[in-house]
Each structure stands twice: as structure tokens, then as C-alpha cells.
Amino acid sequence: MARAARTLAAGGLVAFPTETVYGLGADATNPAAVARLYKAKGRPSFNPLIAHVDCLEAARAIGELGPDAIALAWAFWPGPLTLVVPRAPHCSVAELATAGLDTVALRVPSHPVAMALLQAFGKPVVAPSANLSGHVSPTTAAHVKSDLDGLIDLIIDDGAVEVGVESTIVGCFKEPMLLRPGGLPRAEIERVLGRKLVEPPAEAESATAQPLAPGMLATHYAPRTKVRLNAFRVEPGEALLAFGPATVIGANAATAVMNLSAKGDLAEAAAHLFGYLRALDARAPKAIAVMPIPSEGLGEAINDRLRRAAVGRD
Ligand code: TXA
Ligand code: MG
């Protein structure tokens, strides 16, 4: 942990586990380190980063949390929730990390390793998912290594993550907005707010728009192989990404079958999603057929990532 904190302080890049996915950390206050981070990932610099801190007080030093944001922070931090709020007047996060926006995305992760690193370092850490831009997010240290080996300084391996999809992002605007469904289900957020989250405007989804919250960039999560959603049968040459106890026509002729959760548990399915997509992608089938997955609870985030994986590949 001391070595990781020293690496960050020297402007280095450290991959570390969070409860959602592995992150690639850099000193949020060091523009040169942030520039290296964008370069290592091959990420466009107009796509801003999440600043990770170890507590609410640290968050309030860099962002202005209004009553909704405070209520959500109390209810769900540390945990898989990111809040987008106005930058505080003396915000220490580099402008490059927020892509010149007047808002900043903040998160207090619950993973003990992430927490220990933030505490050892003592400053905010920007951390996108530790994958090459355009690949699915890493849920093990081996995924990080296969994408970023040689491009970064250190990987802290603490096994597979627990949640498996990225944090839910809420824009704390006049009307709180669901910018990205994720590891914290919408209904839990709406219960604390006492009202519905509003949807982002449709143009935010376009590839050219200044991203309100990319992750919203349409093909953000795409594997190389074509992904076919809501499949009720498997075509010759296809691999099957199954869900639940039922089988589909042609399943026994599939080139490979992986079941996200044989018992139909959405939390288990979220934890397996990116790893199974990577594994099936690596076998280069004609396509990955995905069985329907219910959209309640964590299913909203799972279906969001699957739709992005399926965009533009036909
Ligand atoms: O679970 C997670 O959130 C993981 C772990 C490592 O914490 N991180 C993660 O980061 O998913 P990344 O960079 O892959 O996704 C961050 C998303 C991007 O879609 C980005 O556009 C959005 O947050 N974002 C960051 N700052 C923003 C801002 N000021 N306004 C709107 N969206 C913002
Ligand atoms: Mg990402």
C-alpha cells in the first residue's frame, strides 16, 4: 500500500480493485499524471473521470453537495454510487480530469483495498475502469494485465470484484438525473430521494455530443464479437450467454455456453457479466447470443451494458 501511494505521488498509474470493477488510479491533482492516464487507456480527453475520495468531508472539499447529494452520500457511501455535482471554488482536481466541465464526479468506494489506498495517499484519485478504451471493464487483475500490461506502473491484485458493473451515476442537478445505471439499483436511490430520477436528454447518447455522462458513448462496452440480444435460439457457430435455469433451442450446438446465473440471480449475473463477455469474445464465435434478462434491480445496468456491447455490430 505504501508503494502504491508513493507511485501515485510520483505521478504514476496504479490499478486497484473497487467493489464495482478494477480502476486505474492517478493523482487527481496532477495534470501530467492525468494526461498519462488518458494516454494509457487510449481514452478521449473530453470524457471526464471520477474522483475517488475516502469520505464525505473529502468530497465536500472538491464538489458542492446540495441536499439531494448529501442525502444520497449518507445513504450509500461508501458504495457503488457516483455523484456529479458543481466543482467547488477551490477544487483541487485537475481541469483535464473533468474535461473542462464545471461539474465533478465523486465517489467513495467501499472496497477495503481502494479505501486503504485512498487513505494512504491522502488526496483524491481519479480512476476510470482499468481497461483499454472501448473494451469491457475489468473484474479481475488478469483482465487489467491483458489490457494494460507495460502501460501502467502497478496492479494491486485482490481477486475478483464483488459487484461486477460500474457505479450508478446520478447528476445532482435541479432534478436528480440517472446518468448511468450501475451497481446501485435505481429504486434504492429513488426511495431515498422520495422522487423519481429524471432521464438524460436523448442527444446525450449521440457519439458526437459533449458527454453529459459517457459510459453513454454508444459503443463504450463493446467486445470484438457481434452481440445478439434477447435470443430465444442459438444459430450455428454462435456462443451462448445464458441466464436462468431454462434452455433455448440450439443450445447444445453452441460453440460455448456460459450461464450468468443458473438460478436467475441478478447480483450473481452482474458479477459474472464482463468476465464471461471477455471469455466468449476470446473464443471468436460467429456471434454471442444473449438470453433475455429481466430489467428490474441490477438488471437495468446489465441490460444497459449489453445494449452498448451490441451497438453497431451487425
Ligand atoms: O464503478 C466505477 O464507477 C468505476 C470504478 C473504478 O470506480 N469507474 C468508472 O469510471 O466506471 P469510467 O471512467 O469508466 O466511467 C466514468 C463515467 C464516464 O462515463 C464519464 O463520462 C462520467 O463518469 N463522468 C465523469 N465526470 C462527469 C461529469 N462531470 N459529468 C458527467 N459525467 C461524468
Ligand atoms: Mg469505463
Side-chain angles (χ1 to χ4, degrees), residues 41 43 128-129 131 135 137 166 180 220-221:
K41 275 195 58 122
R43 177 177 175 119
S129 48
N131 52 281
H135 287 195
S137 294
E166 303 88 342
R180 176 176 77 180
H220 192 69
Y221 297 96

Side-chain angles (χ1 to χ4, degrees), residues 92-288:
S92 61
V93 174
E95 296 261 356
L96 181 58
T98 53
L101 299 173
D102 50 16
T103 54
V104 60
L106 300 169
R107 172 157 121 78
V108 179
S110 65
H111 194 292
V113 170
M115 201 43 111
L117 178 61
L118 291 168
Q119 283 167 355
F121 183 54
K123 289 201 278 182
V125 170
V126 281
S129 48
N131 52 281
L132 288 174
S133 190
H135 287 195
V136 295
S137 294
T139 54
T140 67
H143 296 161
V144 178
K145 196 163 192 288
S146 87
D147 268 26
L148 295 171
D149 200 17
L151 298 171
I152 64 178
D153 301 297
L154 195 65
I155 301 174
I156 306 176
D157 184 351
D158 194 47
V161 301
E162 194 185 321
V163 178
V165 291
E166 303 88 342
S167 61
T168 303
I169 305 181
V170 173
C172 300
F173 312 137
K174 197 151 156 287
E175 293 301 326
M177 186 182 283
L178 184 65
L179 294 174
R180 176 176 77 180
L184 180 67
R186 169 204 294 268
E188 294 192 35
I189 297 168
E190 293 178 340
R191 182 173 48 73
V192 168
L193 291 173
R195 61 195 198 280
K196 297 268 177 219
L197 288 161
V198 300
E199 299 303 311
E203 68 268 22
E205 289 272 350
S206 86
T208 49
Q210 165 77 5
L212 200 53
M216 298 179 74
L217 291 177
T219 60
H220 192 69
Y221 297 96
R224 283 176 294 269
T225 310
K226 172 187 162 180
V227 173
R228 193 165 68 79
L229 302 181
N230 296 317
F232 288 99
R233 59 184 303 147
V234 183
E235 307 295 343
E238 286 186 336
L240 175 66
L241 188 60
F243 176 79
T247 56
V248 291
I249 300 161
N252 43 19
T255 59
V257 180
M258 298 185 91
N259 196 324
L260 289 169
S261 170
K263 58 176 193 275
D265 179 276
L266 288 166
E268 184 181 31
H272 288 152
L273 178 66
F274 290 142
Y276 286 8
L277 276 176
R278 273 181 189 258
L280 293 177
D281 195 25
R283 303 174 70 129
K286 209 172 123 223
I288 301 171

